[in-house]
PDB file of all heavy atoms in Angstrom:
ATOM      1  N   LEU A   1       3.498  -4.447   3.869  1.00  0.00           N
ATOM      2  CA  LEU A   1       3.898  -3.190   3.134  1.00  0.00           C
ATOM      3  C   LEU A   1       4.018  -2.064   4.110  1.00  0.00           C
ATOM      4  O   LEU A   1       4.947  -1.216   3.954  1.00  0.00           O
ATOM      5  CB  LEU A   1       2.799  -2.882   2.079  1.00  0.00           C
ATOM      6  CG  LEU A   1       3.235  -1.831   1.047  1.00  0.00           C
ATOM      7  CD1 LEU A   1       4.346  -2.372   0.167  1.00  0.00           C
ATOM      8  CD2 LEU A   1       2.042  -1.386   0.187  1.00  0.00           C
ATOM      9  N   PHE A   2       3.162  -2.001   5.101  1.00  0.00           N
ATOM     10  CA  PHE A   2       3.236  -0.961   6.103  1.00  0.00           C
ATOM     11  C   PHE A   2       4.586  -1.020   6.846  1.00  0.00           C
ATOM     12  O   PHE A   2       5.285   0.005   7.031  1.00  0.00           O
ATOM     13  CB  PHE A   2       2.102  -1.073   7.092  1.00  0.00           C
ATOM     14  CG  PHE A   2       2.093   0.030   8.143  1.00  0.00           C
ATOM     15  CD1 PHE A   2       1.311   1.190   7.980  1.00  0.00           C
ATOM     16  CD2 PHE A   2       2.864  -0.067   9.307  1.00  0.00           C
ATOM     17  CE1 PHE A   2       1.279   2.180   8.901  1.00  0.00           C
ATOM     18  CE2 PHE A   2       2.852   0.929  10.272  1.00  0.00           C
ATOM     19  CZ  PHE A   2       2.063   2.073  10.023  1.00  0.00           C
ATOM     20  N   ALA A   3       4.992  -2.234   7.184  1.00  0.00           N
ATOM     21  CA  ALA A   3       6.267  -2.434   7.877  1.00  0.00           C
ATOM     22  C   ALA A   3       7.444  -2.002   7.035  1.00  0.00           C
ATOM     23  O   ALA A   3       8.409  -1.411   7.548  1.00  0.00           O
ATOM     24  CB  ALA A   3       6.415  -3.908   8.324  1.00  0.00           C
ATOM     25  N   LEU A   4       7.361  -2.288   5.731  1.00  0.00           N
ATOM     26  CA  LEU A   4       8.452  -1.906   4.841  1.00  0.00           C
ATOM     27  C   LEU A   4       8.617  -0.369   4.761  1.00  0.00           C
ATOM     28  O   LEU A   4       9.709   0.131   4.883  1.00  0.00           O
ATOM     29  CB  LEU A   4       8.169  -2.480   3.426  1.00  0.00           C
ATOM     30  CG  LEU A   4       9.197  -2.204   2.335  1.00  0.00           C
ATOM     31  CD1 LEU A   4      10.550  -2.809   2.705  1.00  0.00           C
ATOM     32  CD2 LEU A   4       8.735  -2.752   1.010  1.00  0.00           C
ATOM     33  N   PHE A   5       7.524   0.303   4.482  1.00  0.00           N
ATOM     34  CA  PHE A   5       7.599   1.779   4.296  1.00  0.00           C
ATOM     35  C   PHE A   5       7.705   2.524   5.662  1.00  0.00           C
ATOM     36  O   PHE A   5       8.150   3.679   5.706  1.00  0.00           O
ATOM     37  CB  PHE A   5       6.391   2.303   3.557  1.00  0.00           C
ATOM     38  CG  PHE A   5       6.539   2.069   2.067  1.00  0.00           C
ATOM     39  CD1 PHE A   5       6.216   0.897   1.452  1.00  0.00           C
ATOM     40  CD2 PHE A   5       7.007   3.118   1.240  1.00  0.00           C
ATOM     41  CE1 PHE A   5       6.356   0.701   0.095  1.00  0.00           C
ATOM     42  CE2 PHE A   5       7.198   2.950  -0.109  1.00  0.00           C
ATOM     43  CZ  PHE A   5       6.855   1.737  -0.698  1.00  0.00           C
ATOM     44  N   ASP A   6       7.388   1.833   6.761  1.00  0.00           N
ATOM     45  CA  ASP A   6       7.533   2.424   8.068  1.00  0.00           C
ATOM     46  C   ASP A   6       9.008   2.499   8.512  1.00  0.00           C
ATOM     47  O   ASP A   6       9.343   3.131   9.539  1.00  0.00           O
ATOM     48  CB  ASP A   6       6.721   1.646   9.107  1.00  0.00           C
ATOM     49  CG  ASP A   6       6.519   2.400  10.406  1.00  0.00           C
ATOM     50  OD1 ASP A   6       6.346   3.651  10.341  1.00  0.00           O
ATOM     51  OD2 ASP A   6       6.531   1.771  11.480  1.00  0.00           O
ATOM     52  N   LEU A   7       9.907   1.833   7.738  1.00  0.00           N
ATOM     53  CA  LEU A   7      11.355   1.981   8.008  1.00  0.00           C
ATOM     54  C   LEU A   7      11.833   3.415   7.820  1.00  0.00           C
ATOM     55  O   LEU A   7      12.796   3.838   8.424  1.00  0.00           O
ATOM     56  CB  LEU A   7      12.155   1.051   7.079  1.00  0.00           C
ATOM     57  CG  LEU A   7      12.005  -0.459   7.344  1.00  0.00           C
ATOM     58  CD1 LEU A   7      12.696  -1.211   6.227  1.00  0.00           C
ATOM     59  CD2 LEU A   7      12.605  -0.796   8.691  1.00  0.00           C
ATOM     60  N   VAL A   8      11.083   4.172   7.000  1.00  0.00           N
ATOM     61  CA  VAL A   8      11.382   5.581   6.800  1.00  0.00           C
ATOM     62  C   VAL A   8      10.509   6.357   7.791  1.00  0.00           C
ATOM     63  O   VAL A   8       9.289   6.231   7.752  1.00  0.00           O
ATOM     64  CB  VAL A   8      11.126   6.037   5.344  1.00  0.00           C
ATOM     65  CG1 VAL A   8      11.377   7.503   5.194  1.00  0.00           C
ATOM     66  CG2 VAL A   8      11.948   5.249   4.382  1.00  0.00           C
ATOM     67  N   PRO A   9      11.101   7.180   8.668  1.00  0.00           N
ATOM     68  CA  PRO A   9      10.311   7.906   9.669  1.00  0.00           C
ATOM     69  C   PRO A   9       9.254   8.853   9.006  1.00  0.00           C
ATOM     70  O   PRO A   9       9.498   9.411   7.948  1.00  0.00           O
ATOM     71  CB  PRO A   9      11.342   8.753  10.421  1.00  0.00           C
ATOM     72  CG  PRO A   9      12.667   8.048  10.160  1.00  0.00           C
ATOM     73  CD  PRO A   9      12.528   7.429   8.805  1.00  0.00           C
ATOM     74  N   GLY A  10       8.105   8.937   9.704  1.00  0.00           N
ATOM     75  CA  GLY A  10       7.085   9.887   9.271  1.00  0.00           C
ATOM     76  C   GLY A  10       5.946   9.287   8.484  1.00  0.00           C
ATOM     77  O   GLY A  10       5.098  10.058   7.949  1.00  0.00           O
ATOM     78  N   LEU A  11       5.849   7.956   8.447  1.00  0.00           N
ATOM     79  CA  LEU A  11       4.731   7.322   7.726  1.00  0.00           C
ATOM     80  C   LEU A  11       3.411   7.642   8.418  1.00  0.00           C
ATOM     81  O   LEU A  11       3.241   7.421   9.610  1.00  0.00           O
ATOM     82  CB  LEU A  11       4.931   5.809   7.670  1.00  0.00           C
ATOM     83  CG  LEU A  11       3.840   5.001   6.929  1.00  0.00           C
ATOM     84  CD1 LEU A  11       3.824   5.354   5.467  1.00  0.00           C
ATOM     85  CD2 LEU A  11       4.078   3.507   7.080  1.00  0.00           C
ATOM     86  N   GLU A  12       2.459   8.185   7.667  1.00  0.00           N
ATOM     87  CA  GLU A  12       1.150   8.536   8.205  1.00  0.00           C
ATOM     88  C   GLU A  12       0.104   7.449   7.930  1.00  0.00           C
ATOM     89  O   GLU A  12      -0.664   7.101   8.795  1.00  0.00           O
ATOM     90  CB  GLU A  12       0.676   9.861   7.655  1.00  0.00           C
ATOM     91  CG  GLU A  12       1.491  11.072   8.176  1.00  0.00           C
ATOM     92  CD  GLU A  12       0.848  12.385   7.783  1.00  0.00           C
ATOM     93  OE1 GLU A  12       0.165  12.447   6.768  1.00  0.00           O
ATOM     94  OE2 GLU A  12       1.082  13.388   8.530  1.00  0.00           O
ATOM     95  N   TYR A  13       0.070   6.959   6.694  1.00  0.00           N
ATOM     96  CA  TYR A  13      -0.841   5.844   6.397  1.00  0.00           C
ATOM     97  C   TYR A  13      -0.357   5.065   5.176  1.00  0.00           C
ATOM     98  O   TYR A  13       0.357   5.532   4.350  1.00  0.00           O
ATOM     99  CB  TYR A  13      -2.291   6.283   6.254  1.00  0.00           C
ATOM    100  CG  TYR A  13      -2.586   7.093   5.009  1.00  0.00           C
ATOM    101  CD1 TYR A  13      -2.754   6.444   3.765  1.00  0.00           C
ATOM    102  CD2 TYR A  13      -2.758   8.468   5.078  1.00  0.00           C
ATOM    103  CE1 TYR A  13      -3.077   7.173   2.630  1.00  0.00           C
ATOM    104  CE2 TYR A  13      -3.065   9.213   3.913  1.00  0.00           C
ATOM    105  CZ  TYR A  13      -3.241   8.543   2.702  1.00  0.00           C
ATOM    106  OH  TYR A  13      -3.531   9.256   1.562  1.00  0.00           O
ATOM    107  N   CYS A  14      -0.849   3.836   5.142  1.00  0.00           N
ATOM    108  CA  CYS A  14      -0.566   2.866   4.028  1.00  0.00           C
ATOM    109  C   CYS A  14      -1.909   2.265   3.642  1.00  0.00           C
ATOM    110  O   CYS A  14      -2.464   1.523   4.412  1.00  0.00           O
ATOM    111  CB  CYS A  14       0.464   1.854   4.451  1.00  0.00           C
ATOM    112  SG  CYS A  14       0.654   0.506   3.280  1.00  0.00           S
ATOM    113  N   ASP A  15      -2.384   2.626   2.435  1.00  0.00           N
ATOM    114  CA  ASP A  15      -3.696   2.123   2.009  1.00  0.00           C
ATOM    115  C   ASP A  15      -3.495   1.139   0.854  1.00  0.00           C
ATOM    116  O   ASP A  15      -3.211   1.563  -0.293  1.00  0.00           O
ATOM    117  CB  ASP A  15      -4.554   3.296   1.597  1.00  0.00           C
ATOM    118  CG  ASP A  15      -5.967   2.881   1.127  1.00  0.00           C
ATOM    119  OD1 ASP A  15      -6.368   1.793   1.513  1.00  0.00           O
ATOM    120  OD2 ASP A  15      -6.612   3.642   0.405  1.00  0.00           O
ATOM    121  N   VAL A  16      -3.694  -0.124   1.107  1.00  0.00           N
ATOM    122  CA  VAL A  16      -3.518  -1.154   0.044  1.00  0.00           C
ATOM    123  C   VAL A  16      -4.857  -1.371  -0.680  1.00  0.00           C
ATOM    124  O   VAL A  16      -5.870  -1.557  -0.043  1.00  0.00           O
ATOM    125  CB  VAL A  16      -3.026  -2.488   0.647  1.00  0.00           C
ATOM    126  CG1 VAL A  16      -3.095  -3.611  -0.386  1.00  0.00           C
ATOM    127  CG2 VAL A  16      -1.619  -2.327   1.220  1.00  0.00           C
ATOM    128  N   GLN A  17      -4.788  -1.338  -1.998  1.00  0.00           N
ATOM    129  CA  GLN A  17      -5.990  -1.534  -2.810  1.00  0.00           C
ATOM    130  C   GLN A  17      -5.770  -2.705  -3.769  1.00  0.00           C
ATOM    131  O   GLN A  17      -4.636  -2.925  -4.196  1.00  0.00           O
ATOM    132  CB  GLN A  17      -6.324  -0.258  -3.596  1.00  0.00           C
ATOM    133  CG  GLN A  17      -6.590   0.941  -2.672  1.00  0.00           C
ATOM    134  CD  GLN A  17      -6.671   2.249  -3.444  1.00  0.00           C
ATOM    135  OE1 GLN A  17      -6.860   2.224  -4.660  1.00  0.00           O
ATOM    136  NE2 GLN A  17      -6.590   3.368  -2.746  1.00  0.00           N
ATOM    137  N   ARG A  18      -6.801  -3.351  -4.142  1.00  0.00           N
ATOM    138  CA  ARG A  18      -6.669  -4.537  -4.999  1.00  0.00           C
ATOM    139  C   ARG A  18      -7.651  -4.476  -6.172  1.00  0.00           C
ATOM    140  O   ARG A  18      -8.819  -4.154  -5.994  1.00  0.00           O
ATOM    141  CB  ARG A  18      -6.865  -5.831  -4.234  1.00  0.00           C
ATOM    142  CG  ARG A  18      -6.717  -7.062  -5.082  1.00  0.00           C
ATOM    143  CD  ARG A  18      -6.712  -8.348  -4.257  1.00  0.00           C
ATOM    144  NE  ARG A  18      -5.567  -8.406  -3.367  1.00  0.00           N
ATOM    145  CZ  ARG A  18      -5.290  -9.394  -2.568  1.00  0.00           C
ATOM    146  NH1 ARG A  18      -6.080 -10.473  -2.543  1.00  0.00           N
ATOM    147  NH2 ARG A  18      -4.245  -9.379  -1.775  1.00  0.00           N
ATOM    148  N   ASP A  19      -7.093  -4.697  -7.373  1.00  0.00           N
ATOM    149  CA  ASP A  19      -7.944  -4.693  -8.575  1.00  0.00           C
ATOM    150  C   ASP A  19      -8.592  -6.068  -8.673  1.00  0.00           C
ATOM    151  O   ASP A  19      -7.886  -7.114  -8.758  1.00  0.00           O
ATOM    152  CB  ASP A  19      -7.067  -4.434  -9.800  1.00  0.00           C
ATOM    153  CG  ASP A  19      -7.897  -4.275 -11.087  1.00  0.00           C
ATOM    154  OD1 ASP A  19      -9.015  -4.824 -11.141  1.00  0.00           O
ATOM    155  OD2 ASP A  19      -7.399  -3.655 -12.021  1.00  0.00           O
ATOM    156  N   PRO A  20      -9.935  -6.152  -8.634  1.00  0.00           N
ATOM    157  CA  PRO A  20     -10.590  -7.468  -8.688  1.00  0.00           C
ATOM    158  C   PRO A  20     -10.406  -8.232 -10.007  1.00  0.00           C
ATOM    159  O   PRO A  20     -10.588  -9.437 -10.058  1.00  0.00           O
ATOM    160  CB  PRO A  20     -12.111  -7.093  -8.524  1.00  0.00           C
ATOM    161  CG  PRO A  20     -12.196  -5.676  -8.984  1.00  0.00           C
ATOM    162  CD  PRO A  20     -10.891  -5.059  -8.617  1.00  0.00           C
ATOM    163  N   TYR A  21      -9.932  -7.518 -11.055  1.00  0.00           N
ATOM    164  CA  TYR A  21      -9.769  -8.182 -12.329  1.00  0.00           C
ATOM    165  C   TYR A  21      -8.340  -8.629 -12.642  1.00  0.00           C
ATOM    166  O   TYR A  21      -8.079  -9.354 -13.568  1.00  0.00           O
ATOM    167  CB  TYR A  21     -10.220  -7.218 -13.503  1.00  0.00           C
ATOM    168  CG  TYR A  21     -11.634  -6.764 -13.307  1.00  0.00           C
ATOM    169  CD1 TYR A  21     -11.920  -5.500 -12.805  1.00  0.00           C
ATOM    170  CD2 TYR A  21     -12.697  -7.630 -13.600  1.00  0.00           C
ATOM    171  CE1 TYR A  21     -13.231  -5.065 -12.629  1.00  0.00           C
ATOM    172  CE2 TYR A  21     -14.006  -7.181 -13.393  1.00  0.00           C
ATOM    173  CZ  TYR A  21     -14.271  -5.913 -12.944  1.00  0.00           C
ATOM    174  OH  TYR A  21     -15.602  -5.506 -12.742  1.00  0.00           O
ATOM    175  N   THR A  22      -7.389  -8.144 -11.835  1.00  0.00           N
ATOM    176  CA  THR A  22      -6.008  -8.557 -12.015  1.00  0.00           C
ATOM    177  C   THR A  22      -5.433  -9.021 -10.677  1.00  0.00           C
ATOM    178  O   THR A  22      -6.071  -8.837  -9.633  1.00  0.00           O
ATOM    179  CB  THR A  22      -5.164  -7.447 -12.584  1.00  0.00           C
ATOM    180  OG1 THR A  22      -5.024  -6.416 -11.563  1.00  0.00           O
ATOM    181  CG2 THR A  22      -5.743  -6.832 -13.839  1.00  0.00           C
ATOM    182  N   ASN A  23      -4.261  -9.543 -10.718  1.00  0.00           N
ATOM    183  CA  ASN A  23      -3.580  -9.996  -9.468  1.00  0.00           C
ATOM    184  C   ASN A  23      -2.510  -9.025  -9.048  1.00  0.00           C
ATOM    185  O   ASN A  23      -1.719  -9.310  -8.152  1.00  0.00           O
ATOM    186  CB  ASN A  23      -2.965 -11.403  -9.715  1.00  0.00           C
ATOM    187  CG  ASN A  23      -2.712 -12.094  -8.380  1.00  0.00           C
ATOM    188  OD1 ASN A  23      -3.509 -11.977  -7.455  1.00  0.00           O
ATOM    189  ND2 ASN A  23      -1.604 -12.812  -8.290  1.00  0.00           N
ATOM    190  N   SER A  24      -2.500  -7.862  -9.641  1.00  0.00           N
ATOM    191  CA  SER A  24      -1.463  -6.879  -9.344  1.00  0.00           C
ATOM    192  C   SER A  24      -1.773  -6.160  -8.015  1.00  0.00           C
ATOM    193  O   SER A  24      -2.889  -6.162  -7.539  1.00  0.00           O
ATOM    194  CB  SER A  24      -1.297  -5.891 -10.450  1.00  0.00           C
ATOM    195  OG  SER A  24      -2.522  -5.179 -10.663  1.00  0.00           O
ATOM    196  N   GLY A  25      -0.712  -5.552  -7.468  1.00  0.00           N
ATOM    197  CA  GLY A  25      -0.899  -4.818  -6.222  1.00  0.00           C
ATOM    198  C   GLY A  25      -0.789  -3.355  -6.418  1.00  0.00           C
ATOM    199  O   GLY A  25      -0.056  -2.867  -7.247  1.00  0.00           O
ATOM    200  N   TYR A  26      -1.557  -2.588  -5.629  1.00  0.00           N
ATOM    201  CA  TYR A  26      -1.516  -1.107  -5.706  1.00  0.00           C
ATOM    202  C   TYR A  26      -1.741  -0.581  -4.321  1.00  0.00           C
ATOM    203  O   TYR A  26      -2.621  -1.055  -3.549  1.00  0.00           O
ATOM    204  CB  TYR A  26      -2.568  -0.586  -6.662  1.00  0.00           C
ATOM    205  CG  TYR A  26      -2.623   0.932  -6.692  1.00  0.00           C
ATOM    206  CD1 TYR A  26      -1.683   1.644  -7.444  1.00  0.00           C
ATOM    207  CD2 TYR A  26      -3.587   1.654  -6.010  1.00  0.00           C
ATOM    208  CE1 TYR A  26      -1.717   3.044  -7.494  1.00  0.00           C
ATOM    209  CE2 TYR A  26      -3.651   3.028  -6.043  1.00  0.00           C
ATOM    210  CZ  TYR A  26      -2.698   3.713  -6.786  1.00  0.00           C
ATOM    211  OH  TYR A  26      -2.702   5.093  -6.824  1.00  0.00           O
ATOM    212  N   ALA A  27      -0.952   0.487  -3.930  1.00  0.00           N
ATOM    213  CA  ALA A  27      -1.103   1.045  -2.611  1.00  0.00           C
ATOM    214  C   ALA A  27      -0.764   2.552  -2.679  1.00  0.00           C
ATOM    215  O   ALA A  27      -0.021   2.991  -3.545  1.00  0.00           O
ATOM    216  CB  ALA A  27      -0.189   0.377  -1.609  1.00  0.00           C
ATOM    217  N   VAL A  28      -1.383   3.283  -1.754  1.00  0.00           N
ATOM    218  CA  VAL A  28      -1.067   4.734  -1.593  1.00  0.00           C
ATOM    219  C   VAL A  28      -0.370   4.894  -0.242  1.00  0.00           C
ATOM    220  O   VAL A  28      -0.894   4.459   0.792  1.00  0.00           O
ATOM    221  CB  VAL A  28      -2.342   5.581  -1.667  1.00  0.00           C
ATOM    222  CG1 VAL A  28      -2.016   7.059  -1.396  1.00  0.00           C
ATOM    223  CG2 VAL A  28      -2.964   5.441  -3.063  1.00  0.00           C
TER     224      VAL A  28
END
């Protein structure tokens, strides 16, 4: 995910979070 969003210049951080009760993905 970091590599994907790093295609746009200026990426400061990519924080991936995971819900223990579901299999969905969430990131800031």
Side-chain angles (χ1 to χ4, degrees):
L1 194 68
F2 183 94
L4 180 63
F5 279 83
D6 196 37
L7 290 173
V8 178
L11 180 64
E12 290 189 334
Y13 71 78
C14 169
D15 181 21
V16 171
Q17 302 171 14
R18 181 171 296 183
D19 187 334
Y21 302 104
T22 68
N23 199 37
S24 59
Y26 177 77
V28 175

